[in-house]
Amino acid sequence: MSTQLEEDADPANPDPLRRRPSQRRSARRVERMLDACAELLDEIGYEALTTTRIAERAGVAIGSVYQFFPDKRAITQALTRRHVELFVARVGRRFITEDYTGWWDAVDAIIEEYVEMHRAVAGFRSLHFGDIVDLNLLDSVADNNTVIAGRLRALLLKEFGLADSEELDRAMLVAVEAGDAVLKLAFRRDPHGAPDIVAEAKQLVRGYLSRQLRAG
């Protein structure tokens, strides 16, 4: 029986991990590294972040960091992916447990989850979905917000049976870009998110999508 602890990453599927952990102990170690990265991003920022600091905070040897990640950018990329998966899972959970009159209430829920993650999830207020570090952290071709728009579009299509089209694709991307910009303004005004600006973000996105969906 093989005693190999990690599996080689699939070269056909770009991944920030050098190796993907195949045992629980290794997976926990990687999670500790991501947790450490998140904490340090909030404390000292990306420029001052180093793999040595991440190793010290995570309580692992620096060799363990390099076993899984080539550099701090790769760790940040993996953390960004974790943020995306958490965000989509939280939105999906709300879609399952809450009743909505229509897609417009679902849009409010999406914005509320973004705001709550900004307040409560370590590293998110510093990293968001990776845009402050690299616009292509999530995908080598599509920028980060395009990836997010695609994930949210899929959720809305599944839940509300909207007609899929290039127009909807474009409308979701514009809505994500606009909402993201206004929500960042809310957190520049208030570290907890200025409620009046958050409300404006909801109105802006709902109004824009309503016009686009009626036009379609």
Side-chain angles (χ1 to χ4, degrees):
M1 182 180 297
S2 172
T3 58
Q4 181 183 4
L5 294 181
E6 291 80 32
E7 298 173 349
D8 290 330
D10 179 0
N13 181 26
D15 193 310
L17 284 164
R18 285 180 188 267
R19 288 176 173 273
R20 197 154 272 289
S22 61
Q23 289 193 355
R24 189 175 303 169
R25 183 175 60 181
S26 301
R28 283 200 301 264
R29 201 181 330 150
V30 169
E31 288 301 310
R32 287 206 309 275
M33 295 174 201
L34 297 183
D35 291 342
C37 178
E39 293 169 5
L40 289 166
L41 280 169
D42 284 347
E43 293 172 16
I44 62 176
Y46 183 74
E47 292 305 317
L49 185 70
T50 65
T51 52
T52 299
R53 282 176 160 163
I54 291 170
E56 290 172 351
R57 178 63 61 91
V60 301
I62 188 65
S64 291
V65 174
Y66 289 126
Q67 182 181 16
F68 292 102
F69 300 102
D71 51 35
K72 71 175 186 179
R73 183 184 182 280
I75 304 174
T76 305
Q77 185 178 19
L79 178 61
T80 299
R81 291 187 178 195
R82 189 171 76 171
H83 284 162
V84 172
E85 295 308 318
L86 177 61
F87 178 63
V88 172
R90 288 171 64 139
V91 170
R93 189 158 52 245
R94 287 189 64 161
F95 280 18
I96 292 170
T97 59
E98 298 177 0
D99 292 324
Y100 299 124
T101 305
W103 62 261
W104 46 90
D105 291 331
V107 167
D108 281 359
I110 289 169
I111 291 174
E112 287 161 10
E113 285 303 328
Y114 179 99
V115 170
E116 183 55 32
M117 281 186 64
H118 206 294
R119 291 170 177 161
V121 176
F124 191 74
R125 67 180 171 85
S126 301
L127 188 59
H128 302 112
F129 292 124
D131 51 295
I132 63 166
V133 176
D134 187 332
L135 288 174
N136 294 96
L137 270 180
L138 294 174
D139 187 284
S140 61
V141 177
D143 63 55
N144 301 334
N145 276 349
T146 298
V147 175
I148 297 298
R151 298 292 293 273
L152 295 179
R153 173 176 149 277
L155 282 173
L156 290 173
L157 285 170
K158 180 180 178 182
E159 289 297 318
F160 299 101
L162 301 177
D164 197 7
S165 65
E166 289 184 11
E167 289 75 18
L168 176 62
D169 206 15
R170 183 174 62 248
M172 283 302 301
L173 177 58
V174 172
V176 166
E177 289 282 357
D180 185 43
V182 177
L183 289 170
K184 284 174 182 172
L185 172 63
F187 282 94
R188 286 204 304 272
R189 295 283 183 88
D190 180 338
H192 299 290
D196 56 335
I197 304 296
V198 171
E200 290 290 337
K202 290 181 178 180
Q203 286 292 102
L204 183 152
V205 172
R206 285 177 61 161
Y208 169 75
L209 284 178
S210 181
R211 290 191 299 275
Q212 294 303 310
L213 293 176
R214 278 203 307 269

